[in-house]
mmCIF file of all heavy atoms in Angstrom:
data_model
loop_
_atom_site.group_PDB
_atom_site.id
_atom_site.type_symbol
_atom_site.label_atom_id
_atom_site.label_comp_id
_atom_site.label_asym_id
_atom_site.label_seq_id
_atom_site.Cartn_x
_atom_site.Cartn_y
_atom_site.Cartn_z
ATOM 1 N N LEU A 112 13.438 35.867 17.607
ATOM 2 C CA LEU A 112 13.284 35.277 16.233
ATOM 3 C C LEU A 112 12.560 33.973 16.267
ATOM 4 O O LEU A 112 12.846 33.134 17.173
ATOM 5 C CB LEU A 112 14.679 35.107 15.559
ATOM 6 C CG LEU A 112 15.529 36.387 15.414
ATOM 7 C CD1 LEU A 112 16.890 36.054 14.910
ATOM 8 C CD2 LEU A 112 14.814 37.325 14.364
ATOM 9 N N GLN A 113 11.898 33.661 15.186
ATOM 10 C CA GLN A 113 11.322 32.347 15.027
ATOM 11 C C GLN A 113 12.481 31.330 15.003
ATOM 12 O O GLN A 113 13.551 31.588 14.393
ATOM 13 C CB GLN A 113 10.686 32.341 13.605
ATOM 14 C CG GLN A 113 10.104 31.022 13.154
ATOM 15 C CD GLN A 113 9.592 31.135 11.707
ATOM 16 O OE1 GLN A 113 10.118 31.919 10.903
ATOM 17 N NE2 GLN A 113 8.715 30.301 11.377
ATOM 18 N N ASP A 114 12.247 30.260 15.686
ATOM 19 C CA ASP A 114 13.287 29.163 15.723
ATOM 20 C C ASP A 114 13.150 28.287 14.380
ATOM 21 O O ASP A 114 12.152 27.666 14.208
ATOM 22 C CB ASP A 114 13.118 28.246 16.900
ATOM 23 C CG ASP A 114 13.973 27.094 16.990
ATOM 24 O OD1 ASP A 114 14.853 26.934 15.984
ATOM 25 O OD2 ASP A 114 13.865 26.286 17.894
ATOM 26 N N ILE A 115 14.190 28.412 13.584
ATOM 27 C CA ILE A 115 14.055 27.740 12.269
ATOM 28 C C ILE A 115 13.991 26.186 12.428
ATOM 29 O O ILE A 115 13.484 25.474 11.539
ATOM 30 C CB ILE A 115 15.237 28.133 11.369
ATOM 31 C CG1 ILE A 115 15.232 29.678 11.149
ATOM 32 C CG2 ILE A 115 15.135 27.504 9.951
ATOM 33 C CD1 ILE A 115 16.479 30.170 10.612
ATOM 34 N N THR A 116 14.503 25.643 13.568
ATOM 35 C CA THR A 116 14.438 24.263 13.830
ATOM 36 C C THR A 116 13.150 23.783 14.426
ATOM 37 O O THR A 116 12.944 22.556 14.536
ATOM 38 C CB THR A 116 15.598 23.808 14.724
ATOM 39 O OG1 THR A 116 15.390 24.256 16.054
ATOM 40 C CG2 THR A 116 16.934 24.319 14.275
ATOM 41 N N ASN A 117 12.286 24.703 14.717
ATOM 42 C CA ASN A 117 10.933 24.294 15.257
ATOM 43 C C ASN A 117 10.341 23.337 14.370
ATOM 44 O O ASN A 117 10.461 23.346 13.167
ATOM 45 C CB ASN A 117 10.029 25.573 15.347
ATOM 46 C CG ASN A 117 9.964 26.106 16.751
ATOM 47 O OD1 ASN A 117 10.490 25.508 17.661
ATOM 48 N ND2 ASN A 117 9.303 27.229 16.952
ATOM 49 N N GLN A 118 9.543 22.419 14.863
ATOM 50 C CA GLN A 118 8.853 21.386 14.128
ATOM 51 C C GLN A 118 9.708 20.304 13.597
ATOM 52 O O GLN A 118 9.262 19.438 12.886
ATOM 53 C CB GLN A 118 8.031 22.008 12.974
ATOM 54 C CG GLN A 118 6.925 22.949 13.425
ATOM 55 C CD GLN A 118 6.329 23.773 12.381
ATOM 56 O OE1 GLN A 118 6.966 23.951 11.294
ATOM 57 N NE2 GLN A 118 5.298 24.377 12.628
ATOM 58 N N CYS A 119 11.026 20.349 13.912
ATOM 59 C CA CYS A 119 11.927 19.223 13.578
ATOM 60 C C CYS A 119 12.174 18.483 14.807
ATOM 61 O O CYS A 119 12.760 19.003 15.774
ATOM 62 C CB CYS A 119 13.241 19.764 13.078
ATOM 63 S SG CYS A 119 13.169 20.402 11.364
ATOM 64 N N SER A 120 11.876 17.182 14.761
ATOM 65 C CA SER A 120 12.210 16.369 15.966
ATOM 66 C C SER A 120 13.684 16.056 16.046
ATOM 67 O O SER A 120 14.269 15.927 17.106
ATOM 68 C CB SER A 120 11.333 15.092 15.969
ATOM 69 O OG SER A 120 11.305 14.560 14.643
ATOM 70 N N LYS A 121 14.339 15.877 14.881
ATOM 71 C CA LYS A 121 15.795 15.674 14.874
ATOM 72 C C LYS A 121 16.425 16.686 13.844
ATOM 73 O O LYS A 121 16.766 16.226 12.728
ATOM 74 C CB LYS A 121 16.116 14.228 14.495
ATOM 75 C CG LYS A 121 15.715 13.296 15.581
ATOM 76 C CD LYS A 121 16.297 11.888 15.260
ATOM 77 C CE LYS A 121 16.136 11.028 16.530
ATOM 78 N NZ LYS A 121 16.496 9.624 16.225
ATOM 79 N N PRO A 122 16.555 17.911 14.208
ATOM 80 C CA PRO A 122 17.057 18.893 13.276
ATOM 81 C C PRO A 122 18.511 18.725 12.918
ATOM 82 O O PRO A 122 19.380 18.589 13.801
ATOM 83 C CB PRO A 122 16.825 20.219 13.897
ATOM 84 C CG PRO A 122 16.725 19.903 15.392
ATOM 85 C CD PRO A 122 16.249 18.494 15.557
ATOM 86 N N CYS A 123 18.805 18.678 11.592
ATOM 87 C CA CYS A 123 20.164 18.729 11.116
ATOM 88 C C CYS A 123 20.329 20.104 10.538
ATOM 89 O O CYS A 123 19.505 20.624 9.785
ATOM 90 C CB CYS A 123 20.396 17.733 9.989
ATOM 91 S SG CYS A 123 20.162 16.028 10.535
ATOM 92 N N VAL A 124 21.377 20.796 11.033
ATOM 93 C CA VAL A 124 21.480 22.303 10.787
ATOM 94 C C VAL A 124 22.914 22.606 10.236
ATOM 95 O O VAL A 124 23.854 22.231 10.840
ATOM 96 C CB VAL A 124 21.314 23.019 12.084
ATOM 97 C CG1 VAL A 124 21.401 24.584 11.801
ATOM 98 C CG2 VAL A 124 19.986 22.732 12.738
ATOM 99 N N MET A 125 22.942 23.282 9.112
ATOM 100 C CA MET A 125 24.222 23.732 8.636
ATOM 101 C C MET A 125 24.200 25.246 8.392
ATOM 102 O O MET A 125 23.255 25.756 7.795
ATOM 103 C CB MET A 125 24.633 23.053 7.272
ATOM 104 C CG MET A 125 26.041 23.515 6.768
ATOM 105 S SD MET A 125 26.456 22.795 5.177
ATOM 106 C CE MET A 125 27.397 21.372 5.702
ATOM 107 N N ASP A 126 25.232 25.919 8.824
ATOM 108 C CA ASP A 126 25.443 27.428 8.597
ATOM 109 C C ASP A 126 26.424 27.520 7.459
ATOM 110 O O ASP A 126 27.549 27.159 7.546
ATOM 111 C CB ASP A 126 25.963 28.012 9.890
ATOM 112 C CG ASP A 126 26.077 29.555 9.841
ATOM 113 O OD1 ASP A 126 26.645 30.042 8.821
ATOM 114 O OD2 ASP A 126 25.610 30.195 10.756
ATOM 115 N N VAL A 127 25.926 28.185 6.359
ATOM 116 C CA VAL A 127 26.856 28.458 5.229
ATOM 117 C C VAL A 127 26.875 30.013 5.077
ATOM 118 O O VAL A 127 25.886 30.670 4.768
ATOM 119 C CB VAL A 127 26.261 27.858 3.892
ATOM 120 C CG1 VAL A 127 27.261 28.063 2.796
ATOM 121 C CG2 VAL A 127 25.957 26.366 4.026
ATOM 122 N N LYS A 128 28.062 30.543 5.339
ATOM 123 C CA LYS A 128 28.262 31.970 5.146
ATOM 124 C C LYS A 128 28.491 32.342 3.705
ATOM 125 O O LYS A 128 29.374 31.770 3.042
ATOM 126 C CB LYS A 128 29.361 32.439 6.058
ATOM 127 C CG LYS A 128 29.389 33.982 6.303
ATOM 128 C CD LYS A 128 30.470 34.393 7.245
ATOM 129 C CE LYS A 128 30.064 34.329 8.684
ATOM 130 N NZ LYS A 128 30.816 35.281 9.547
ATOM 131 N N ILE A 129 27.646 33.250 3.215
ATOM 132 C CA ILE A 129 27.679 33.467 1.755
ATOM 133 C C ILE A 129 28.533 34.726 1.369
ATOM 134 O O ILE A 129 28.347 35.723 2.017
ATOM 135 C CB ILE A 129 26.217 33.740 1.183
ATOM 136 C CG1 ILE A 129 25.268 32.508 1.583
ATOM 137 C CG2 ILE A 129 26.250 33.894 -0.349
ATOM 138 C CD1 ILE A 129 25.540 31.281 0.917
ATOM 139 N N GLY A 130 29.309 34.512 0.391
ATOM 140 C CA GLY A 130 30.205 35.615 -0.175
ATOM 141 C C GLY A 130 31.624 35.424 0.045
ATOM 142 O O GLY A 130 32.086 34.966 1.109
ATOM 143 N N LYS A 131 32.342 35.722 -0.994
ATOM 144 C CA LYS A 131 33.817 35.726 -0.979
ATOM 145 C C LYS A 131 34.278 36.826 0.009
ATOM 146 O O LYS A 131 35.240 36.674 0.762
ATOM 147 C CB LYS A 131 34.336 35.889 -2.328
ATOM 148 C CG LYS A 131 35.885 35.893 -2.528
ATOM 149 C CD LYS A 131 36.202 36.060 -3.993
ATOM 150 C CE LYS A 131 37.653 35.990 -4.133
ATOM 151 N NZ LYS A 131 38.068 36.151 -5.586
ATOM 152 N N GLN A 132 33.645 38.033 -0.092
ATOM 153 C CA GLN A 132 33.955 39.133 0.728
ATOM 154 C C GLN A 132 33.004 39.162 1.928
ATOM 155 O O GLN A 132 31.803 39.255 1.746
ATOM 156 C CB GLN A 132 33.830 40.448 -0.135
ATOM 157 C CG GLN A 132 34.093 41.667 0.688
ATOM 158 C CD GLN A 132 33.863 42.983 -0.060
ATOM 159 O OE1 GLN A 132 34.085 42.957 -1.285
ATOM 160 N NE2 GLN A 132 33.449 44.010 0.619
ATOM 161 N N THR A 133 33.540 39.098 3.154
ATOM 162 C CA THR A 133 32.677 39.114 4.317
ATOM 163 C C THR A 133 32.778 40.388 5.101
ATOM 164 O O THR A 133 32.317 40.510 6.295
ATOM 165 C CB THR A 133 32.952 37.863 5.216
ATOM 166 O OG1 THR A 133 34.383 37.848 5.430
ATOM 167 C CG2 THR A 133 32.599 36.576 4.547
ATOM 168 N N TRP A 134 33.470 41.364 4.478
ATOM 169 C CA TRP A 134 33.436 42.686 5.215
ATOM 170 C C TRP A 134 32.735 43.743 4.348
ATOM 171 O O TRP A 134 32.697 43.598 3.168
ATOM 172 C CB TRP A 134 34.978 43.123 5.395
ATOM 173 C CG TRP A 134 35.879 42.876 4.322
ATOM 174 C CD1 TRP A 134 36.671 41.786 4.107
ATOM 175 C CD2 TRP A 134 36.141 43.697 3.118
ATOM 176 N NE1 TRP A 134 37.364 41.855 2.901
ATOM 177 C CE2 TRP A 134 37.044 43.062 2.287
ATOM 178 C CE3 TRP A 134 35.618 44.980 2.762
ATOM 179 C CZ2 TRP A 134 37.532 43.558 1.100
ATOM 180 C CZ3 TRP A 134 36.051 45.486 1.538
ATOM 181 C CH2 TRP A 134 37.056 44.848 0.702
ATOM 182 N N GLU A 135 32.107 44.587 5.020
ATOM 183 C CA GLU A 135 31.296 45.675 4.314
ATOM 184 C C GLU A 135 32.288 46.756 3.847
ATOM 185 O O GLU A 135 33.459 46.959 4.424
ATOM 186 C CB GLU A 135 30.244 46.182 5.140
ATOM 187 C CG GLU A 135 30.565 46.871 6.434
ATOM 188 C CD GLU A 135 29.370 47.353 7.206
ATOM 189 O OE1 GLU A 135 28.933 48.458 6.912
ATOM 190 O OE2 GLU A 135 28.863 46.638 8.069
ATOM 191 N N PRO A 136 31.904 47.499 2.815
ATOM 192 C CA PRO A 136 32.831 48.454 2.204
ATOM 193 C C PRO A 136 33.420 49.499 3.220
ATOM 194 O O PRO A 136 34.499 50.007 2.990
ATOM 195 C CB PRO A 136 32.079 49.167 1.147
ATOM 196 C CG PRO A 136 31.006 48.139 0.808
ATOM 197 C CD PRO A 136 30.682 47.384 2.033
ATOM 198 N N SER A 137 32.679 49.799 4.300
ATOM 199 C CA SER A 137 33.226 50.808 5.201
ATOM 200 C C SER A 137 34.203 50.179 6.286
ATOM 201 O O SER A 137 34.685 50.853 7.139
ATOM 202 C CB SER A 137 32.059 51.450 5.996
ATOM 203 O OG SER A 137 31.412 50.470 6.725
#
Side-chain angles (χ1 to χ4, degrees):
L112 298 171
Q113 176 187 26
D114 174 4
I115 303 165
T116 68
N117 258 355
Q118 295 165 345
C119 284
S120 41
K121 288 194 173 172
C123 299
V124 183
M125 179 183 268
D126 182 311
V127 185
K128 198 177 269 207
I129 307 291
K131 181 178 180 177
Q132 179 182 325
T133 53
W134 41 268
E135 59 180 276
S137 64

